[in-house]
Amino acid sequence: MAPGHVFWAIFYFACLCSASLANNAKVNFREKEKKILDQILGAGKYDARIRPSGINGTDGPAVVRVNIFVRSISKIDDVTMEYSVQLTFREQWLDERLKFDDIGGRLKYLTLTEANRVWMPDLFFSNEKEGHFHNIIMPNVYIRIFPYGSVLYSIRISLTLACPMNLKLYPLDRQVCSLRMASYGWTTADLVFLWKEGDPVQVVKNLHLPRFTLEKFLTDYCNSKTNTGEYSCLKVDLLFKREFSYYLIQIYIPCCMLVIVSWVSFWLDQGAVPARVSLGVTTLLTMATQTSGINASLPPVSYTKAIDVWTGVCLTFVFGALLEFALVNYASRSADRAADMHRENMKKKRREMEQASLDAASDLLDTDSNATFAMVRIVLRSNSLSRLLLQKPLVRHPGDPLALEKLRQCEVHMQAPKRPNCCRSWLSKFPTRQCSRSKRIDVISRITFPLVFALFNLVYWSTYLFREEEED
């Protein structure tokens, strides 16, 4: 065989051997993972019922570090006092029984999807109402085992958690909702939970809530002691601030408008009974319906809320406007009755005067006919003069001293004061006579109701806004 042919045969054989070795090396690497898992988790080698040892292999408690990633907060319910959250929950601990060779750094970690293959902390959420795992498309859970024996457990879960609320400042309130995690069976002598150093709680960016804003969150410990021992506990407090703009548009502004509409009754004529009654009853029923709708969306608590004070006062103003019309109507009817009685009395006195004149004339006829005729003329003239005086005003004669004296008295009484009072001069347009009392009530109500309502707004907002700052 020629030397050239030998060279090419050797070269071809070397290429085949290198390719075979490369394939064998790749297959052997995956086989190495399987062998490692079988080696550390094989039957009779690892017992998931036994907890790991303490720090540095001591007999102390196993330390589990926890961190969570809040993915979303779907709702915060005021009626049931609960909130729903979706989060990625992570635990990390050291189990020296799971150490393995990383093949020179080529094997960073081993991945498991079955949590029952290794020991797991018995953590539970103490304020949980409902919860479920996510299994679409595959179960959202994994376990990573690192070469030095560290175990990382991660799972995505959705929880509905209890959140006791204090609604005294509703809807100007802030609520603190907690997420509590504790050990169920292992006491602090065997298991201790700690927050992961650095950043134990993470929140997704641009977290959107319909009626709340997540202001901040705080991590803390909440170990509990019972008859069976002390148990490790972690908690994170989420501080939510209620968005006030929604309630301003849906509750406060409509209530103010209803109160202002009820004041329109003060500017209507007091004789327009159907219009004023319809306006008062309509605004009262609308305000009552608004109050019922607000209370239906809140739990029946035993204390008074800020929204209760607002709706109660607004309802009182609307009801007061309706009562004001009842008072105006009563005063108007009283004035009408007084005017009718006055007219009847005047008619009665006129009839008595005429009857007395006729009786005097008949008595004179019996004594002397001529004298009687003269007296009758005098009486008739006097009667006509009295009627004339009742119907027409007095005419002042130039030389009448009595008329001049009366004129001076009228001029003295009609002089304007040196320092007139605006309110008094304006109210003087409606004198205190019985026939004008109803109009005076309307005029006073036009000023009193808006002033009192403005004063209430000043006190209300100052009180509850300052109380909110004090609680912060």
Side-chain angles (χ1 to χ4, degrees):
M1 181 181 291
H5 293 164
V6 175
F7 173 76
W8 286 111
I10 295 172
F11 179 76
Y12 179 73
F13 180 76
C15 291
L16 290 177
C17 291
S18 61
S20 177
L21 289 174
N23 292 332
N24 291 334
K26 185 176 181 180
V27 173
N28 291 338
F29 181 73
R30 294 305 174 191
E31 289 290 334
K32 189 65 175 178
E33 288 189 30
K34 178 179 179 302
K35 291 180 179 180
I36 292 174
L37 288 175
D38 292 338
Q39 180 182 356
I40 62 177
L41 299 176
K45 295 182 179 180
Y46 184 86
D47 193 346
R49 299 173 298 177
I50 307 301
R51 72 170 179 85
S53 58
I55 299 175
N56 297 326
T58 62
D59 195 28
V63 177
V64 178
R65 298 191 178 273
V66 177
N67 74 307
I68 60 176
F69 176 69
V70 179
R71 294 182 173 272
S72 65
I73 300 176
S74 58
K75 69 171 183 178
I76 301 176
D77 197 338
D78 298 318
V79 178
T80 57
M81 291 192 179
E82 63 185 19
Y83 72 104
S84 298
V85 60
Q86 182 187 130
L87 51 88
T88 298
F89 175 75
R90 304 186 186 98
E91 295 176 309
Q92 193 167 6
W93 66 93
L94 181 62
D95 193 344
E96 296 182 352
R97 297 173 295 175
L98 299 177
K99 289 182 179 180
F100 62 90
D101 184 13
D102 60 353
I103 314 176
R106 298 181 62 184
L107 190 60
K108 295 183 179 180
Y109 54 80
L110 302 174
T111 302
L112 296 178
T113 57
E114 298 176 359
N116 57 356
R117 297 288 301 274
V118 296
W119 175 87
M120 293 290 298
D122 60 344
L123 181 141
F124 77 104
F125 298 93
S126 58
N127 59 335
E128 174 203 353
K129 288 187 175 181
E130 294 179 0
H132 66 273
F133 302 114
H134 293 266
N135 297 320
I136 299 175
I137 299 176
M138 292 293 292
N140 299 162
V141 58
Y142 68 80
I143 299 175
R144 290 177 180 174
I145 304 175
F146 294 89
Y148 52 90
S150 178
V151 181
L152 174 62
Y153 173 73
S154 178
I155 186 171
R156 187 166 73 100
I157 53 178
S158 292
L159 300 171
T160 299
L161 305 167
C163 178
M165 299 181 182
N166 186 357
L167 300 175
K168 288 184 178 180
L169 298 181
Y170 177 89
L172 301 169
D173 57 335
R174 284 178 168 86
Q175 302 297 336
V176 178
C177 295
S178 299
L179 176 63
R180 295 174 177 267
M181 299 162 285
S183 173
Y184 189 81
W186 299 96
T187 63
T188 53
D190 297 315
L191 179 62
V192 174
F193 289 111
L194 297 177
W195 285 111
K196 181 181 178 181
E197 296 179 358
D199 196 5
V201 178
Q202 298 172 324
V203 181
V204 65
K205 294 181 179 179
N206 300 324
L207 179 65
H208 177 71
L209 296 174
R211 289 183 297 173
F212 288 87
T213 299
L214 179 61
E215 288 191 330
K216 60 182 179 179
F217 50 86
L218 302 172
T219 57
D220 200 357
Y221 297 91
C222 54
N223 293 359
S224 60
K225 293 183 179 180
T226 64
N227 294 333
T228 56
E230 182 179 359
Y231 297 89
S232 182
C233 176
L234 302 177
K235 75 170 182 177
V236 54
D237 294 329
L238 305 174
L239 178 60
F240 297 102
K241 180 181 179 181
R242 197 182 300 272
E243 289 291 343
F244 180 68
S245 57
Y246 168 81
Y247 301 93
L248 180 65
I249 297 173
Q250 297 294 328
I251 296 177
Y252 284 91
I253 292 180
C255 289
C256 285
M257 294 174 64
L258 287 174
V259 173
I260 294 173
V261 167
S262 67
W263 298 342
V264 177
S265 174
F266 306 150
W267 299 88
L268 297 179
D269 185 73
Q270 54 187 338
V273 177
R276 298 187 69 165
V277 170
S278 301
L279 183 62
V281 173
T282 302
T283 52
L284 182 63
L285 292 177
T286 306
M287 191 66 213
T289 304
Q290 181 85 351
T291 304
S292 301
I294 295 170
N295 294 329
S297 61
L298 293 174
V301 294
S302 59
Y303 48 82
T304 302
K305 303 179 289 294
I307 195 66
D308 294 335
V309 176
W310 175 264
T311 55
V313 172
C314 291
L315 188 62
T316 303
F317 270 93
V318 174
F319 183 67
L322 185 61
L323 291 182
E324 188 272 347
F325 168 68
L327 182 61
V328 168
N329 191 22
Y330 175 77
S332 177
R333 288 187 287 107
S334 299
D336 293 340
R337 286 196 300 268
D340 294 340
M341 292 179 62
H342 180 70
R343 285 194 295 268
E344 291 295 332
N345 292 333
M346 294 298 295
K347 290 180 181 180
K348 185 177 181 181
K349 289 181 179 179
R350 189 178 294 110
R351 287 194 298 268
E352 290 178 354
M353 291 178 62
E354 292 177 355
Q355 185 64 32
S357 300
L358 294 176
D359 293 341
S362 62
D363 292 339
L364 291 175
L365 287 174
D366 295 337
T367 55
D368 189 6
S369 59
N370 293 329
T372 301
F373 181 72
M375 290 297 295
V376 167
R377 291 180 62 187
I378 293 172
V379 170
L380 292 176
R381 287 179 180 177
S382 62
N383 195 9
S384 300
L385 182 59
S386 63
R387 292 180 181 177
L388 183 61
L389 291 176
L390 289 173
Q391 294 177 359
K392 296 182 180 180
L394 292 174
V395 179
R396 181 175 66 85
H397 298 284
D400 192 356
L402 182 60
L404 292 175
E405 183 65 22
K406 295 290 185 181
L407 182 60
R408 293 191 190 99
Q409 294 179 3
C410 292
E411 290 177 354
V412 170
H413 287 291
M414 292 178 62
Q415 289 181 357
K418 296 181 180 179
R419 295 180 179 179
N421 192 333
C422 297
C423 296
R424 185 177 299 174
S425 60
W426 185 62
L427 290 176
S428 64
K429 297 178 182 179
F430 309 98
T432 56
R433 296 178 300 170
Q434 185 73 17
C435 60
S436 300
R437 287 181 182 175
S438 58
K439 187 64 176 178
R440 175 179 286 268
I441 294 173
D442 275 342
V443 173
I444 294 175
S445 299
R446 294 172 189 174
I447 303 175
T448 305
F449 274 72
L451 286 180
V452 176
F453 189 68
L455 180 62
F456 161 71
N457 274 271
L458 179 62
V459 174
Y460 179 86
W461 296 113
S462 300
T463 301
Y464 283 102
L465 290 179
F466 288 155
R467 287 181 60 182
E468 183 184 7
E469 293 178 359
E470 289 177 359
E471 288 193 356
D472 293 343

